[in-house]
Amino acid sequence: MADVCESSHPYGSIQSYPSTLNSASNFNPLQWIQQKFAPSVRKSTAPDAPKQETADLVSAQEEAFTEAKLIEGSKKHKKKKEKVAEAAPEVVEKLPAPEHKYSTANFKISHRKLNMLGRQISGKPIDHAIMQMQFSEKRASNRIMSMLATAKLHATVYKNMDPSKLVVSEAWVTKGENRLKRLEPRGRGKFGVRIHPDSRMHVILRPGKTYDQVKKEQRERRLKRIVSAGLVREDVPLRNPASFWQW
C-alpha cells in the first residue's frame, strides 16, 4: 500500500492519496461497444453452396424454355402469314370507269328553278361547276355544290377516274315522288289545292377536256378565222364584185 500523507488544517487533518490512483485507465468503453456491434461480412456456409448451384440451374432451364417457346411462336406466326398470303387474292389495279352518275336527294324546290342551275353547270369541268355554285345567289346552290364535290370524290376514289379531267357531261332535273298538297282558302267559301313541289338533280361525270384545254382550243379556233392580207396580191378575179354604180 502507498503511504497516506496527512496535512495540517485548521478544521482538522486531511488525508491525500498518491497521484497514481487518480490517473485514467487505458480501457475505453466506447471502443469496446463499436468493436462488439460493428457490421461484418457473413461467410457462406458449406451446406448453402449446393442450394445456390441448383437455383442457377433452374433459372437457366427456365430461360432456355422461354427462348424455345418464343422461337416456336415466331415460326407459327410466319407460317400463318404465308398461308394468308397464299389464300389472299391478287390485287388487280382497277381501270378507270367511263362515267359516274350521282344525284341529290329530294328537297323542297320547284323543278323549273332547279333546272336553271342544271343548265348553268352542264358541259363545264367539275371544278368550274363547283366554283359557279359557290358564288351563285340561288338558295339551292349550296346543296348542288356539296353534291358535285361528293360526286367528284366518289369518282376518284371508287372508280379510279382522273379528277383533273372530270366534266359534268349531263345534268337534268326530275320531280319528286311525294308532293305535298295543302288546302288554299279562296273567296266565297271556296278553296283550292296548293302543291308544295320537291325535285332532285342528277349529273353524269365523264372524262373530258380540262378548262385550260377548252380555252386553248377556242383561242386557236378564233385565230384561224383571222385572215390577214398577203404581201403579194393574188392574180385571180374578184369574188362577188359589186356593181359599178352605187346609186
Side-chain angles (χ1 to χ4, degrees):
M1 290 294 293
D3 296 335
V4 178
C5 300
E6 293 181 1
S7 61
S8 62
H9 197 270
Y11 295 99
S13 62
I14 297 174
Q15 296 178 356
S16 60
Y17 295 91
S19 61
T20 55
L21 294 177
N22 294 332
S23 62
S25 65
N26 295 327
F27 176 73
N28 193 353
L30 292 175
Q31 290 181 358
W32 179 82
I33 292 170
Q34 288 177 359
Q35 292 175 0
K36 191 72 176 176
F37 297 101
S40 60
V41 179
R42 186 176 181 181
K43 296 182 181 179
S44 61
T45 57
D48 293 340
K51 291 182 180 179
Q52 185 67 25
E53 291 178 358
T54 53
D56 294 339
L57 290 173
V58 170
S59 63
Q61 289 177 358
E62 289 179 353
E63 288 179 359
F65 185 67
T66 53
E67 287 180 0
K69 273 190 174 182
L70 289 173
I71 292 168
E72 289 180 0
S74 63
K75 287 182 180 178
K76 288 181 180 179
H77 189 62
K78 285 181 181 179
K79 288 181 180 179
K80 285 183 179 179
K81 277 189 175 181
E82 290 175 358
K83 288 181 180 179
V84 169
E86 291 176 359
E90 295 181 359
V91 178
V92 180
E93 293 184 359
K94 291 183 179 180
L95 296 175
E99 63 181 21
H100 177 63
K101 183 181 177 182
Y102 201 72
S103 64
T104 62
N106 288 327
F107 62 101
K108 185 179 177 181
I109 190 173
S110 173
H111 63 280
R112 295 184 180 89
K113 295 178 182 177
L114 190 59
N115 197 31
M116 290 190 289
L117 293 176
R119 288 198 299 268
Q120 188 176 355
I121 64 174
S122 179
K124 290 183 172 59
I126 186 66
D127 295 331
H128 189 65
I130 292 172
M131 186 176 65
Q132 289 291 324
M133 292 296 101
Q134 184 179 0
F135 293 100
S136 177
E137 295 181 356
K138 300 291 185 181
R139 183 182 62 186
S141 60
N142 290 331
R143 191 185 292 265
I144 303 302
M145 181 181 66
S146 63
M147 182 266 291
L148 291 174
T150 307
K152 178 184 175 182
L153 180 64
H154 288 183
T156 55
V157 174
Y158 299 124
K159 296 193 175 180
N160 200 17
M161 300 174 74
D162 190 1
S164 62
K165 296 182 179 180
L166 289 178
V167 176
V168 184
S169 180
E170 299 179 25
W172 69 94
V173 177
T174 57
K175 294 181 181 179
E177 298 177 357
N178 301 321
R179 294 185 296 170
L180 296 176
K181 295 182 179 180
R182 296 291 181 266
L183 295 178
E184 184 179 8
R186 298 293 181 88
R188 298 190 179 188
K190 297 181 180 181
F191 64 91
V193 178
R194 176 178 286 275
I195 298 174
H196 296 273
D198 59 346
S199 55
R200 62 193 303 180
M201 180 183 287
H202 308 261
V203 295
I204 292 180
L205 304 181
R206 292 192 178 98
K209 298 175 182 178
T210 61
Y211 188 71
D212 295 334
Q213 290 176 352
V214 172
K215 285 290 185 183
K216 186 178 180 181
E217 289 181 359
Q218 288 179 358
R219 185 173 180 277
E220 290 176 355
R221 198 180 304 116
R222 288 171 184 172
L223 287 174
K224 285 181 181 180
R225 293 178 185 176
I226 301 173
V227 179
S228 61
L231 298 176
V232 180
R233 183 176 177 84
E234 296 177 352
D235 191 8
V236 294
L238 295 174
R239 289 180 286 271
N240 299 326
S243 58
F244 188 75
W245 305 105
Q246 298 294 332
W247 63 81

